[in-house]
Amino acid sequence: MAQQLKVGIPKENKPMEGRIALVPHAVNELVQQGVPVVVESGAGKKSGFSDYEYKQAGAVIADSAQQLYAAVDLIVKVKEPIAQDLALLESRHLLFCYLHLAPNPDLAAALCDIGLTAVAFETVRENGGLPLLAPMSEIAGRVAVQAGAHLLHSSMGGRGVLLGGVTGTAAGRVVIIGAGVAGQNAAAVAAASGAQVIAFDRSAEALKSIERLAPNITGLYAYAGAIEQALQTADLLVGAVLIPGQKAPHIVTREMVRKMPRGSVIVDISVDQGGCIETIRPTDYRDPVYVDEGVLHMGVTNLPGAVPKTASEALSGALLPFVGRLAMEGVMAFPALSDGINVSGGKIVLPALLE
């Protein structure tokens, strides 16, 4: 039987990131199972959870990140480690978080240099799905449309379109690339606003599923010519392409973006995997939007970070059973976890990074 690991939950250091991997109720369940948990002081503050609540749940509160990393074996966090996190990681640590290594070879190299083992939430598979990515994909899809609708306001530099329209006016037009979990949630919110929605995908089943959501959603096969034609009248484009563990392909070219209406908006959810739109680049919530080819682009790599309380609650519920087994039985406890390994003992094992 694997040696039981002590779980550490650090404060997130990515700019404008307030999520926490496990909420107090989840921590209490781990403690009740006999798993020791250490939480960095203030880690839950932006999600609405106090140190007192974590103490009441049975966690030990670490005064600093240094104290936490020194005391634990299993680091469970939300976003990929940045420089100040990497400085505290050691080869003995097991890292469990969103990593998105395919478009970030520097991070992959840094983790290898440390010599640790890292399991990525987004590549954990179970029953044909991605259980740890799905909750954030749901939120990202919804936030993408909410943010896009706001950016269409003329005060934000947009073309002054109300997505749902009103009596006597045409509804706004939303194009979604990818009809998976994120795309379906984006389509549901856009359709509920009254917009006319076109969703593109290569899967007939995905197109059937997305069309069932509302009568004002049309699913089309993702032919380049069809996408280009739809974008010429689009008010909002949402990129939602996902190839698990791999860099997102550029489905929308710069030339396609150039033909979009001036003041239209792009929100690319897949930007943390490199983005499916040629003109997208990563941004954060401090300066989320830029203009390229006359179109507003939002490339925030942690869209769900805008709603940290909701996102933390959703992620925590999905994470809890995985963290429990990981802490008590080890990374090879069951296939879903072992399949999620991206770096093992300082060596890359994610197929997309070995090609």
Side-chain angles (χ1 to χ4, degrees):
M1 188 173 185
Q3 181 181 357
Q4 183 173 292
L5 304 178
K6 182 180 287 188
V7 175
I9 305 172
K11 187 187 301 182
E12 296 295 322
N13 289 315
K14 190 178 180 75
M16 303 294 287
E17 178 56 75
R19 287 174 288 179
I20 188 167
L22 294 171
V23 302
H25 287 312
V27 167
N28 183 251
E29 290 206 14
L30 287 175
V31 172
Q32 293 299 317
Q33 294 170 28
V35 177
V37 180
V38 181
V39 178
E40 184 181 348
S41 180
K45 184 177 180 181
K46 292 181 181 178
S47 293
F49 304 111
S50 67
D51 288 352
Y52 176 77
E53 289 175 275
Y54 280 103
K55 285 181 184 177
Q56 289 297 103
V60 172
I61 304 300
D63 293 331
S64 66
Q66 290 86 348
Q67 186 182 78
L68 179 136
Y69 279 80
V72 304
D73 313 292
L74 169 58
I75 304 293
V76 183
K77 63 194 304 297
V78 180
K79 289 301 289 179
E80 72 280 354
I82 60 174
Q84 60 206 95
D85 306 308
L86 291 168
L88 298 174
L89 284 166
E90 302 174 27
S91 60
R92 64 181 181 84
H93 284 135
L94 175 58
L95 177 64
F96 193 32
C97 65
Y98 290 114
L99 284 173
H100 303 292
L101 293 182
N104 195 346
D106 289 344
L107 176 58
L111 294 175
C112 288
D113 288 344
I114 293 167
L116 52 63
T117 293
V119 181
F121 292 169
E122 72 273 10
T123 56
V124 170
R125 293 176 181 268
E126 189 174 48
N127 299 323
L130 301 167
L132 304 183
L133 185 62
M136 296 305 98
S137 295
E138 289 184 45
I139 293 172
R142 292 169 181 265
V143 169
V145 174
Q146 290 182 180
H150 181 61
L151 291 173
L152 280 168
H153 296 179
S154 61
S155 59
M156 301 301 296
R159 63 192 309 246
V161 170
L162 182 65
L163 277 185
V166 292
T167 303
T169 71
R173 295 174 63 86
V174 176
V175 173
I176 299 169
I177 311 295
V181 175
Q184 290 194 25
N185 277 269
V189 171
S193 77
Q196 290 297 315
V197 181
I198 299 176
F200 289 95
D201 203 283
R202 295 188 182 279
S203 163
E205 282 304 311
L207 295 177
K208 287 178 184 177
S209 294
I210 207 165
E211 284 194 332
R212 292 190 195 105
L213 296 175
N216 51 330
I217 299 174
T218 300
L220 297 177
Y221 285 106
Y223 300 120
I227 292 172
E228 182 174 12
Q229 184 176 22
L231 289 179
Q232 291 176 24
T233 56
D235 299 297
L236 171 61
L237 165 62
V238 176
V241 172
L242 173 67
I243 303 176
Q246 297 184 38
K247 190 173 181 179
H250 284 161
I251 304 298
V252 175
T253 66
R254 176 173 290 276
E255 183 60 28
M256 293 179 188
V257 172
R258 188 175 295 131
K259 293 178 181 178
M260 291 178 68
R262 302 305 87 180
S264 56
V265 174
I266 290 173
V267 182
D268 193 348
I269 298 168
S270 63
V271 66
D272 53 12
Q273 287 291 122
C276 66
I277 295 155
E278 186 177 4
T279 49
I280 204 69
R281 59 175 170 80
T283 64
D284 61 50
Y285 277 116
R286 295 173 300 182
D287 188 16
V289 180
Y290 62 92
V291 177
D292 195 350
E293 301 291 357
V295 176
L296 281 71
H297 290 61
M298 186 174 186
V300 172
T301 56
N302 61 328
L303 279 176
V307 287
K309 183 171 178 60
T310 298
S312 296
E313 289 172 344
L315 178 59
S316 184
L319 269 179
L320 178 60
F322 291 91
V323 175
R325 292 195 69 173
L326 196 52
M328 292 187 288
E329 302 174 41
V331 73
M332 302 305 290
F334 62 123
L337 274 175
S338 59
D339 287 350
I341 300 171
N342 283 205
V343 177
S344 179
K347 295 182 179 180
I348 292 171
V349 297
L350 182 66
L353 297 177
L354 295 172
E355 294 174 355

